[in-house]
Amino acid sequence: MARTDFKDYYQILGVSKNATDAEIRQAFRRLARKYHPDLNPGDKEAEARFKEINEAHEVLSDPEKRRKYDQFGQYWQQASAAGAGGFNVNVGDFGADFSQFANFEDFINELLGRFATGTTTGRTRSWSSVGFDTAGFGGTDVEAEVQISFQEAFQGCQKSFAIGNEQVTVRIPAGIKPGTKLRLRGKGQYNPYTQQRGDVYLTVQVAPHPLFRFEDDQLVIDLPITPDEAALGAQVTVPTPSGNVVVNVPAGTRSGQSLRLRGKGWPSSGGSAGDLLAKVQIVPPKSLSAQEKELYEKLRSLRTFNPRSHWPV
């Protein structure tokens, strides 16, 4: 079965396979100026073309990526990963036509079949002469994603999902951070040659919460307060992942100031909870009653504080 999504990066940039780095760079700049989205607003075709140009340049401008791309074609990324596990075959020696394979696994199976018979497109090879490291070549690793809710990430949970025909259950520990990868050993794809299975690398995505967010590794919540609460101080009820708490807002609190709620943040791997930062936002009322307006005007006439007194104006 022929692969139909192969991208010829040389053709995309309009250069030959023997193009120098300077020729590749020059072609990229010329095409990028032509198809840049800022110069083609609303043109989806130009936007898609620009992404292809960027992708081609990223690979061909990197000597190591270009070498792998020239050697393995559209499978250069997968072949690189397999090489890290001991797959040391120079497939160029076998005259492999990558376009005939639907995916990298089909190519591997075909290649292993050639090894089993000791032949490669009319040429005989022994096991040792081609550098095939059988000890390091196991199953095929798989990458997958699972999305959980904010509360599931906070408390920990179990999730079940299908890998091929198998149902897999994974325990997700409490306090897992968005983007964390879990390794499930022996749950990847089966390699018929070694009769081993690879691993699954499961990326955990945490659904956004309407109140809480992460800034680096710090859990943060915005704390809106009124101008009078900021000036006079107040006691404010603040939600945390483990329940509501009452927080003292000191008099004279500024907008952007952070109040630290110790032990009310995200669980650590040791089980203890970190801190929650409440970032103060002073929010003026959008509308005023007649009495409120009168009092604000009186306050303005009596006010002695000028926050811009240090300006040279």
Side-chain angles (χ1 to χ4, degrees):
M1 174 180 174
R3 183 181 175 96
T4 59
D5 60 348
F6 172 53
K7 293 182 180 179
D8 187 331
Y9 292 147
Y10 292 103
Q11 186 177 18
I12 288 172
L13 293 182
V15 297
S16 70
K17 291 188 176 182
N18 298 321
T20 64
D21 291 344
E23 289 171 336
I24 290 172
R25 186 166 54 251
Q26 184 179 17
F28 166 72
R29 290 175 177 173
R30 174 177 52 82
L31 292 171
R33 283 194 296 267
K34 180 178 180 181
Y35 292 102
H36 197 285
D38 290 348
L39 302 177
N40 299 273
D43 189 335
K44 296 298 183 183
E45 289 188 12
E47 182 180 347
R49 184 84 168 93
F50 182 73
K51 288 180 180 179
E52 279 191 336
I53 294 163
N54 262 330
E55 181 182 331
H57 178 256
E58 181 184 351
V59 174
L60 298 185
S61 63
D62 185 305
E64 183 62 17
K65 290 180 180 179
R66 183 179 180 182
R67 182 186 67 79
K68 291 175 181 176
Y69 177 77
D70 288 343
Q71 183 178 5
F72 294 102
Q74 68 264 45
Y75 302 117
W76 69 274
Q77 289 176 302
Q78 298 98 316
S80 178
F87 183 60
N88 300 321
V89 180
N90 184 346
V91 296
D93 290 345
F94 294 85
D97 177 10
F98 291 102
S99 63
Q100 68 180 297
F101 302 108
N103 52 52
F104 185 70
E105 187 178 0
D106 289 348
F107 159 66
I108 290 294
N109 291 336
E110 169 70 13
L111 191 60
L112 292 175
R114 294 185 187 184
F115 277 115
T117 61
T119 61
T120 63
T121 24
R123 290 181 288 172
T124 302
R125 292 283 184 177
S126 68
W127 289 91
S128 59
S129 65
V130 296
F132 187 74
D133 181 3
T134 57
F137 191 70
T140 304
D141 292 341
V142 174
E143 289 192 355
E145 279 191 3
V146 61
Q147 186 172 81
I148 60 177
S149 69
F150 183 90
Q151 201 62 29
E152 286 174 328
F154 179 77
Q155 296 176 336
C157 63
Q158 285 191 340
K159 285 289 182 181
S160 296
F161 54 95
I163 299 179
N165 297 323
E166 181 179 1
Q167 197 74 11
V168 176
T169 300
V170 59
R171 188 185 71 82
I172 297 176
I176 196 165
K177 298 284 182 63
T180 299
K181 282 194 174 184
L182 301 177
R183 184 179 183 182
L184 311 182
R185 295 181 182 274
K187 296 298 183 181
Q189 292 187 3
Y190 176 74
N191 184 326
Y193 172 72
T194 61
Q195 298 185 359
Q196 295 180 18
R197 292 184 64 177
D199 301 331
V200 171
Y201 290 89
L202 185 67
T203 301
V204 179
Q205 302 294 358
V206 180
H209 192 277
L211 297 179
F212 305 107
R213 68 181 183 277
F214 284 99
E215 292 184 359
D216 295 327
D217 285 338
Q218 182 67 61
L219 190 65
V220 175
I221 184 173
D222 289 327
L223 172 56
I225 62 174
T226 61
D228 56 283
E229 288 174 329
L232 302 175
Q235 286 192 329
V236 180
T237 300
V238 178
T240 78
S242 54
N244 296 339
V245 296
V246 176
V247 175
N248 288 317
V249 178
T253 295
R254 301 185 307 276
S255 192
Q257 187 174 338
S258 292
L259 305 178
R260 185 175 293 274
L261 282 60
R262 298 194 179 278
K264 297 300 180 181
W266 204 247
S268 67
S269 56
S272 60
D275 300 338
L276 173 65
L277 285 188
K279 288 195 172 183
V280 174
Q281 294 180 343
I282 300 176
V283 182
K286 291 185 177 180
S287 60
L288 297 170
S289 67
Q291 187 177 8
E292 286 175 327
K293 185 176 181 182
E294 181 182 351
L295 290 173
Y296 267 106
E297 289 174 345
K298 185 174 182 180
L299 177 62
R300 181 169 59 184
S301 67
L302 295 175
R303 177 170 47 80
T304 58
F305 172 65
N306 179 9
R308 299 174 297 279
S309 60
H310 61 288
W311 285 7
V313 293

